[in-house]
Amino acid sequence: MLWRDEIFETNRMIEQNKLDVRTITMGISLRDCVDPDLKAFCQKIYDKITRCAKDLVAVGVAIETEYGVPVINKRVSVTPIALVAEGCKTDTLVPVAETMDRAARDLGINFIGGFSALVDKGETRGDTRLIASIPEALARTESVCASVNVGTTKSGLNMDAIRQMGETIKRTAALTADRGAIGCAKLVVFTNAVQDNPFMAGAFHGVGEGECVVNVGVSGPGVVKRALESVQGAPFDTVAETIKRTAFKVTRVGQLVAQEASKRLGVSMGIVDLSLAPTSAIGDSVAHILEEMGLERCGAPGTTAALALLNDAVKKGGLMAAQHVGGLSGAFIPVSEDAGMIDAVACGCLSLEKLEAMTCVCSVGLDMIAVPGTTSAATLSAILADEAAIGMINNKTTAVRLIPVPGKKVGDDVEFGGLLGHCPVMAVNTFGAEAFVARGGRIPAPVRSLTN
Amino acid sequence: MKIVVTIIGQDRIGIVAKISTALAEAEVNIMDINQNIMNGFFNMVMIADMQRATLPLDALQKKLADVGRALGVDVKIQHEDIFNAMHRI
């Protein structure tokens, strides 16, 4: 029989510490939708997405009601469009994005991911066409998310694609300038992209995946912070142990929800993503966990070590709690979506360079960072290359979401709305990298031994 | 299906009676009750069986929420499995 304290503990996590299921994401294969006629292709993908996910929102709501745990987002990811639209006779893939957007709207979901290309080694004509379509696609849709994988540890970095992506980010910002360059908040540049990520904007349904799966992302930075409040001043052994125990409990909820959702939707259960995903709400911040460990502000010396401990302990705690673990599984550090990060930037404690260092030890990378609108495409590409190199060498996923906001300068605040939050524009090193980025070609795959 | 009913709020006469009556009306069988008063605050956890329930869970949640509102207490009903998942291996 359950103990009363256990019941109150669970409900306190949900009600006071913002434990929630961040997303139930249905991954849908579009490989059977291939058609040379663009109109027919769009009709097929609309039909398939809306057929597979027709009950997704209702099931999410039912699970939330039954278990009393909020299921914040219901989303869909699809096979990278560059692959399935390769044979379409068309100059632009914008109509495909518009079709995805319409499907998302009709389903009542807030994001659909997979307007994506995997170009870590080279580009086909279909990849080039997709990348060229991204700015307009993101400007003309609400819920479509795009991503491009520009490198892997096994293949090295595609510097031509990285150059293109700097330019694509700039064009996307220009086309959505009237909305704080929000298009860039839905565009991720990956290295070592994963196939089963449930989190947006980088979710797509990988080519190694089955017909249809359910992946779940659970989150609870507030729960971890609350747990650490009870071990103030204790040595790091205790800190790590406390985080592990908390992550285990949080992940068990994710496992339960993933199991139930897959059963009710009649599709296989994919993975539980162990990420700690913050929101800009008070009490839901990864930065505040780091500060709870004894840092005056996130970004102070010690931040990278604190984050390394947090990221590792979350994984260790979560691994045993879930049947299959996957996705990104680590702490996210998106600036605009984390109240503590926003404050740390605003007070001058957290710089782009410190964030880059932090990405060496945690999930993902330079995420949701607003930079001055004057930042050049070459500088953006060079930042992408730096982050991609971290991913490539460390055999980890890195993702970059940079938002060069037209007309904004360092210190200005940009509001993205909803889950995407707001943030102060961060300073970027203004020394140039034009000649570096102009070289193009590929940075070779790294040696995997002699790893000092 | 077993449910966990948690009731929290300012103490007053009749909370247990009214909540229990509402459950009985819906043919929900109470299996365990744990209740106390701390600093004037009423805390109660019930574990109940819905096998013969005449209402689906969402309707029961609404019925009990209405009863709770009239009493000035928060009533929450959840499937037992979320607690088992978190606290039992």
Side-chain angles (χ1 to χ4, degrees):
Chain A
M1 195 64 88
L2 286 156
W3 295 92
R4 195 183 61 164
D5 288 352
E6 294 172 332
I7 289 163
F8 281 129
E9 182 191 1
T10 301
N11 285 345
R12 192 196 64 227
M13 285 181 177
I14 294 167
E15 286 159 15
Q16 291 174 30
N17 307 135
K18 298 192 166 50
L19 167 63
D20 57 47
V21 173
R22 190 53 50 83
T23 180
I24 299 178
T25 304
M26 177 180 274
I28 302 170
S29 169
L30 298 183
R31 281 159 57 180
D32 55 351
C33 297
V34 171
D35 198 299
D37 178 61
L38 182 67
K39 223 171 161 182
F41 173 71
C42 288
Q43 190 59 49
K44 284 183 184 175
I45 67 167
Y46 177 84
D47 290 345
K48 181 151 191 196
I49 292 167
T50 50
R51 186 178 74 245
C52 292
K54 68 178 191 314
D55 298 325
L56 179 61
V57 171
V59 165
V61 170
I63 289 174
E64 172 169 329
T65 308
E66 221 163 280
Y67 295 101
V69 63
V71 178
I72 307 293
N73 298 299
K74 281 69 78 174
R75 294 165 170 174
V76 166
S77 64
V78 297
T79 314
I81 293 296
L83 297 175
V84 284
E86 183 88 41
C88 283
K89 291 188 173 58
T90 177
D91 295 329
T92 173
L93 294 175
V94 173
V96 180
E98 288 173 324
T99 304
M100 292 165 70
D101 202 37
R102 185 160 57 90
R105 204 165 41 241
D106 292 349
L107 287 168
I109 59 174
N110 63 352
F111 283 121
I112 179 165
F115 198 74
S116 308
L118 311 174
V119 295
D120 39 284
K121 208 165 174 189
E123 266 178 45
T124 64
R125 277 192 289 276
D127 293 327
T128 306
R129 187 172 52 187
L130 182 123
I131 293 171
S133 304
I134 286 175
E136 201 183 334
L138 295 179
R140 287 172 61 164
T141 59
E142 290 290 323
S143 54
V144 173
C145 294
S147 56
V148 176
N149 192 49
V150 296
T152 63
T153 300
K154 297 262 187 216
S155 307
L157 303 184
N158 180 347
M159 292 299 290
D160 291 320
I162 287 174
R163 185 181 56 215
Q164 269 176 295
M165 288 316 296
E167 292 159 2
T168 303
I169 292 170
K170 281 295 273 188
R171 270 202 303 278
T172 305
L175 291 185
T176 53
D178 56 331
R179 286 165 283 159
I182 197 164
C184 299
K186 296 180 282 179
L187 172 57
V188 182
V189 182
F190 274 120
T191 298
N192 292 325
V194 293
Q195 308 205 24
D196 50 9
N197 166 25
F199 286 101
M200 296 294 174
F204 62 83
H205 186 69
V207 288
E209 295 285 321
E211 189 65 27
C212 189
V213 296
V214 165
N215 298 318
V216 166
V218 69
S219 191
V223 182
V224 175
K225 173 163 188 308
R226 163 79 188 227
L228 290 186
E229 285 169 10
S230 65
V231 293
Q232 277 176 1
F236 283 112
D237 320 62
T238 309
V239 172
E241 197 60 27
T242 305
I243 296 171
K244 273 159 59 180
R245 285 168 188 267
T246 309
F248 177 84
K249 290 176 180 174
V250 168
T251 310
R252 291 283 283 180
V253 174
Q255 168 69 26
L256 173 70
V257 169
Q259 236 166 358
E260 275 302 311
S262 69
K263 194 168 80 188
R264 295 177 194 199
L265 290 163
V267 300
S268 49
M269 188 195 129
I271 55 92
V272 177
D273 189 315
L274 307 179
S275 296
L276 277 184
T279 68
S280 53
I282 301 298
D284 207 17
S285 158
V286 168
H288 288 159
I289 300 175
L290 307 180
E291 290 168 7
E292 186 60 42
M293 287 191 213
L295 300 167
E296 186 182 350
R297 276 276 186 214
C298 178
T303 299
T304 310
L307 184 57
L309 181 152
L310 172 66
N311 201 55
D312 184 62
V314 165
K315 282 184 197 156
K316 285 172 177 164
L319 274 168
M320 189 184 148
Q323 206 167 36
H324 297 286
V325 172
L328 298 166
S329 284
F332 291 173
I333 51 169
V335 173
S336 77
E337 299 171 3
D338 187 311
M341 295 280 175
I342 295 167
D343 290 346
V345 170
C347 76
C349 185
L350 184 59
S351 67
L352 196 60
E353 286 72 21
K354 186 62 178 174
L355 278 163
E356 185 181 317
M358 290 161 71
T359 67
C360 299
V361 300
C362 79
S363 175
V364 205
L366 296 170
D367 197 16
M368 288 303 289
I369 295 170
V371 295
T374 51
T375 310
S376 71
T379 296
L380 292 171
S381 293
I383 297 171
L384 295 178
D386 282 344
E387 195 57 35
I390 288 170
M392 173 181 73
I393 296 293
N394 292 312
N395 199 24
K396 74 182 282 290
T397 304
T398 54
V400 180
R401 269 194 294 178
L402 290 175
I403 306 150
V405 192
K408 295 284 183 182
K409 56 184 192 313
V410 175
D412 290 350
D413 199 75
V414 189
E415 176 72 49
F416 301 113
L419 268 182
L420 298 170
H422 73 98
C423 62
V425 174
M426 294 186 74
V428 173
N429 187 319
T430 52
F431 287 87
E434 279 76 8
F436 173 80
V437 170
R439 285 176 183 272
R442 286 161 51 200
I443 292 182
V447 63
R448 299 295 293 140
S449 61
L450 309 170
T451 51
N452 290 328
Chain B
M1 179 174 91
K2 286 185 196 152
I3 53 168
V4 173
V5 185
T6 46
I7 302 118
I8 299 176
Q10 194 70 44
D11 189 28
R12 58 176 283 178
I13 291 167
I15 299 175
V16 178
K18 292 219 165 65
I19 297 286
S20 307
T21 305
L23 289 172
E25 283 167 4
E27 296 284 328
V28 176
N29 188 33
I30 298 168
M31 303 169 68
D32 185 69
I33 299 182
N34 190 318
Q35 181 254 311
N36 71 0
I37 313 288
M38 272 169 59
N39 303 324
F41 262 89
F42 179 92
N43 279 282
M44 182 160 82
V45 174
M46 287 174 164
I47 297 174
D49 190 347
M50 284 193 65
Q51 205 175 1
R52 291 168 48 201
T54 53
L55 293 176
L57 181 61
D58 53 350
L60 186 70
Q61 285 172 325
K62 196 176 168 312
K63 179 182 167 81
L64 269 287
D66 289 344
V67 173
R69 230 182 330 271
L71 288 163
V73 294
D74 283 330
V75 182
K76 192 167 172 164
I77 302 184
Q78 293 153 281
H79 195 302
E80 183 196 41
D81 279 356
I82 188 167
F83 304 102
N84 287 329
M86 189 179 272
H87 299 287
R88 297 287 178 273
I89 298 176

